Amino acid sequence: MKKKPAFNYQNLSIVKKMAIGYIVIIFIPIISFGLILYNQNYNSFLEEYAQGRQKIVNQVLNNVSVSTVQIESAYQLFQNNSNTIAYLSGNYRSDFEQVSNFLTYIRPLFSYILSSNRMIDSMTIYMEQQNGMIFRPEMAKMDEFKLDESMKKLPLGVGKWITYNNGSEPDINLHYFHKIGNRNFEQDIGLLDIKVTPNLIKPLLESLNSNSKSNLYVLDQDHQVISHVEKISLSKESEKALLADAFQANTKYAYQNVNGNKLLIESFYADTLKLHFVMMEQVDDVFIGIKKNKYVLVMTVATLLLLLSGVYYLIASSITKRILKLSKHMRQVDENYFPLYRGEINKDEVGHLTSSYNAMIRRMDELVNTVHRSEMLRKESAYLMMQAQIKPHFLYNTLESIRMIAEANDDPEAAEMSYTLGKLFRYSLSGTKSETSLREEVDNVKDYIKIQQIRLADRLQVSFEIDAAIDNFICPHYMLQPIIENSIVHGIANVRKQGSLSIRIWEDYSFMFIAVVDSGAGMEEERLALIQAVLNGSMDVKLLQKGEGGLGIMNVNERVKMFYGERSGIHMESKLNAGTTCLLKLAKGAAQ
């Protein structure tokens, strides 16, 4: 005989399989390849770091470019202002007109530009015309311009940025110059000098010089250093060589080892300002923490994986337990028993599966009940067809003749019974509709009770208590008579003492209630439990056929549910030798 292996993966529970799969597929590979991946990705980290720096600085450069465009647009406000052109051209007839023109139109324009653009420190227009009034600080004579004589020869329509450095100070003074021409751009009439605040390039310098171990160089278009900040000691030869490498074509950044230190060399160019920015950063300090804590990181990851494994096991266990409970419950379902799953149903996938299962069970139970009800309707239709074959007028005439003979023979009870029986037959055979009003149903029941009272004499005492509007409440034909008949025939008629029958009707906002209470023989607890189970739908109606009675009540219950909906139905209470109570609960609006 072949011996079974001690370990069989297929026979393990779902939780254990998931835990083993987690360890083999996730835990072990992460620990095994962690160090290898770390070493392989170190250079990738350096590249990503450099690229990230490039993106940040380029974004700042874009912001600087936008600011420079806004500053340059100030020239258009002066060039396109007719009052400014007239003032600079000397087109005025009196000093009053000149002063009024300046104070009314030109000085407010200066104030507007300075207030709307915080990057502009000051603005001055150097006038080519040497006559007329000079309003300071907005205006000055051209011979007062001392910054750069070449700017006086700047052609019309061309603007230029000039950088000035205050010796060893890191701040850079920026000026934007632009010639202003007359209306036809045929003659120079002024030179616009816009002095920019250091805040224009301050964010750029801060983003480049963010590391405590870095050097920053600002060079003009001739590659001459105009400003620098040094935090790393470099020899003049090394510094010169590194700057030369930074200007190589197609080189945005590079890593170089200098004196045992790894430096990130980055080069940026502000095209509008014609300035080069070179940053040298000692990146070993950035990644030194990763190197020192490499093994600590591995141990931390391993510990976290163990903890996560435990949490994963608990979560997987909670899920699989619910699936196992649902699976165990599903084994109880057969063709005649459709129990709903009553366990906890959460709002996750398993809960959705359970809710879908319960919906399927309800649908299956509904379909089975629909087939059963269809069979009942088929039988009822056959019954109605049989009724249609009886000649009702012949029957009515015969009963009327019997009543007349009984009256002629002075037999009032026989006459009353014949008359009442005729009314019952007329109610049952003359109607073509399957529904009636509750008032007509009550009147028909009263006729039926009259016949039973003649038959049982003093043994039957009947009372009606109606506290509801029943005239227009629609109900199925013969809804009450089977219940009343069941109380009289199986209840009161089976006892020798005087019996009482009480019919009470009341209503609330949602339901109409009808209680039929008799003091008859009642029934045993087992029989009552069986009838209640069948009425609730938890047991098959075929079980009622093993005993006496009950089928009429079940048929009425099915007709009530079909007519008023699943919220309606019959509820019974009984005690042996003490009587029976049958309560009908009819939903309002369901069939109205």
Side-chain angles (χ1 to χ4, degrees), residues 318 322 343-355:
S318 65
R322 292 162 58 199
E344 182 181 3
I345 301 177
N346 298 324
K347 295 182 179 180
D348 56 2
E349 288 77 6
V350 179
H352 178 71
L353 176 64
T354 305
S355 299

Side-chain angles (χ1 to χ4, degrees), residues 526-543:
E526 294 78 5
R527 181 64 177 173
L528 176 63
L530 178 61
I531 294 177
Q532 288 176 337
V534 174
L535 291 175
N536 295 332
S538 58
M539 295 189 70
D540 192 356
V541 68
K542 296 178 180 179
L543 297 175

